[in-house]
Amino acid sequence: MRIDHSSFTKIRHRCWIIILILLMLPACNIREEGLSAREASISARESELVTLFAELVEQRKALEKIQPDKFPKPKSNSSLNKTNTCPCDNTKGIDTSQKAQSMLTDTRTILGGLENVYLDPPGLEFSARIDTGARTSSLNAIDIVEFERDGKPFVKFNVIHPQTGEMVELTRRLRRYIRVKERGDRESQRRPVVRMRVVLADINEQIDFTLENRSKFRHQVLIGRNLLRDLAIVDVSKRFTTIKIDNLENGGLK
C-alpha cells in the first residue's frame, strides 16, 4: 500500500492535533477546579455580606427606636409618590414592613456589646464581647495539649476562673481545625475547635468555640455569628442587658 506525501502530511497534522488535545485536557480540568473553588469562595463571601447587611439594618432600626433624634426621617416627595405609586400598594407595603419588623423583634433577643454568658463546661459565667463581625466564637485557652483517647482526638486546656483567677482544666473532644490569619502575620495559624454549651439571655445552644490565647484581651469569651445568627440583634450602645446567672448548677438547665 502506497501513501502519497499529501496524505502523510494530513495524517501527521491530525496526530499533532490529537496530542495537543490530550495535553490540554488536564490543564482544562485544573482550570475548571480552580474556577469552581473560586465561585464557591465568592458565594460564601456574598452570603456573609448579605448577613452583615441584614444585621446592620436591624441594628439601625433598634437605634432609631432608642434615639430617634439622631436619625431624622428623610423628606418624602408627595408628588412623585402620587404619580408613580398607588395608595393601595403603599398601604400594603407599610403593613408588610411593620409585620416583618414586629416578627423579627418578637423572635430575636436584643443584646448589648458586652454580656454575661454561662459556659458548660466549666459551669461558670464569663463576661463576653458580642461581635457580629466574627464568624466563630472563641474562648481564651492556656496550655493547650492535644491527645488521643480510644482512637479519637481530644484537647486539654486551662481557662481562668472569672472570680478567683485560678486555672480550671477542661478536656473536650477535638472537632476540627480552622486557620486564622491575624494582623501582621504572614502565615495563618491553625487553631483547634471544640463544642460547648452557651446560655445567654433566653438563648441556650451548643456551639463551636475556637481555642486561642486571649490573654491580651479584656474578655475571655467572644461570641460570634455562629450563635447570634437568626437568634439575636446586637445594640452596641448597650452593655450587660441580661440577668446575671449566680450559682447555676450543670443540671439546672435543659
Side-chain angles (χ1 to χ4, degrees):
M1 182 178 181
R2 185 178 178 182
I3 302 176
D4 58 6
H5 180 71
S6 59
S7 300
F8 178 78
T9 303
K10 291 180 181 179
I11 295 173
R12 186 176 63 178
H13 287 169
R14 290 178 182 176
C15 290
W16 278 112
I17 292 171
I18 294 172
I19 292 172
L20 289 174
I21 292 173
L22 293 175
L23 291 174
M24 291 173 64
L25 284 176
C28 292
N29 292 334
I30 295 173
R31 186 176 180 182
E32 289 178 358
E33 292 175 358
L35 290 174
S36 299
R38 188 174 181 181
E39 289 177 357
S41 176
I42 292 173
S43 177
R45 292 290 178 87
E46 289 178 351
S47 300
E48 292 178 10
L49 289 174
V50 170
T51 302
L52 288 174
F53 180 76
E55 292 174 353
L56 288 173
V57 171
E58 295 303 327
Q59 290 179 18
R60 180 181 175 85
K61 290 179 181 179
L63 289 174
E64 286 177 353
K65 291 182 179 180
I66 300 169
Q67 300 174 343
D69 297 337
K70 294 185 178 180
F71 295 91
K73 294 182 179 180
K75 296 181 179 180
S76 59
N77 191 337
S78 58
S79 60
L80 182 61
N81 292 336
K82 290 180 180 178
T83 304
N84 296 334
T85 59
C86 174
C88 58
D89 293 338
N90 289 338
T91 304
K92 291 180 180 179
I94 293 171
D95 293 341
T96 305
S97 177
Q98 290 177 349
K99 288 180 181 179
Q101 184 174 354
S102 62
M103 289 177 62
L104 288 173
T105 304
D106 293 339
T107 57
R108 294 191 183 187
T109 303
I110 298 178
L111 302 174
L114 298 175
E115 294 289 353
N116 292 313
V117 300
Y118 176 85
L119 299 185
D120 180 26
L124 297 172
E125 191 174 52
F126 299 84
S127 64
R129 179 187 169 198
I130 313 300
D131 187 0
T132 58
R135 180 185 300 178
T136 308
S137 302
S138 60
L139 173 65
N140 182 35
I142 302 172
D143 301 328
I144 300 174
V145 178
E146 299 176 16
F147 63 96
E148 285 190 4
R149 178 187 293 173
D150 298 330
K152 298 178 180 179
F154 282 80
V155 59
K156 180 171 64 176
F157 57 96
N158 292 323
V159 297
I160 302 175
H161 195 292
Q163 281 78 39
T164 64
E166 298 177 351
M167 294 291 181
V168 179
E169 185 177 281
L170 299 178
T171 300
R172 301 298 295 167
R173 173 77 180 272
L174 179 60
R175 294 179 57 82
R176 58 190 174 91
Y177 293 94
I178 65 171
R179 289 196 171 273
V180 179
K181 189 173 182 180
E182 296 183 349
R183 295 180 179 178
D185 291 344
R186 295 183 178 178
E187 296 183 359
S188 58
Q189 299 178 359
R190 192 178 74 158
R191 294 175 181 169
V193 176
V194 300
R195 172 157 287 195
M196 302 176 70
R197 184 165 66 107
V198 181
V199 180
L200 174 56
D202 58 351
I203 301 173
N204 185 351
E205 296 287 337
Q206 291 267 359
I207 65 169
D208 288 346
F209 277 90
T210 302
L211 300 182
E212 61 173 313
N213 191 336
R214 293 179 54 85
S215 301
K216 59 183 178 180
F217 298 105
R218 186 175 180 181
H219 305 281
Q220 293 194 70
V221 180
L222 182 142
I223 298 297
R225 295 198 304 272
N226 62 330
L227 177 67
L228 302 174
R229 185 181 290 114
D230 300 329
L231 296 178
I233 300 172
V234 180
D235 182 357
V236 294
S237 65
K238 295 183 178 181
R239 291 188 175 187
F240 302 107
T241 62
T242 60
I243 300 175
K244 190 171 183 180
I245 304 173
D246 295 323
N247 300 322
L248 180 63
E249 296 181 355
N250 292 343
L253 292 173
K254 295 183 181 179

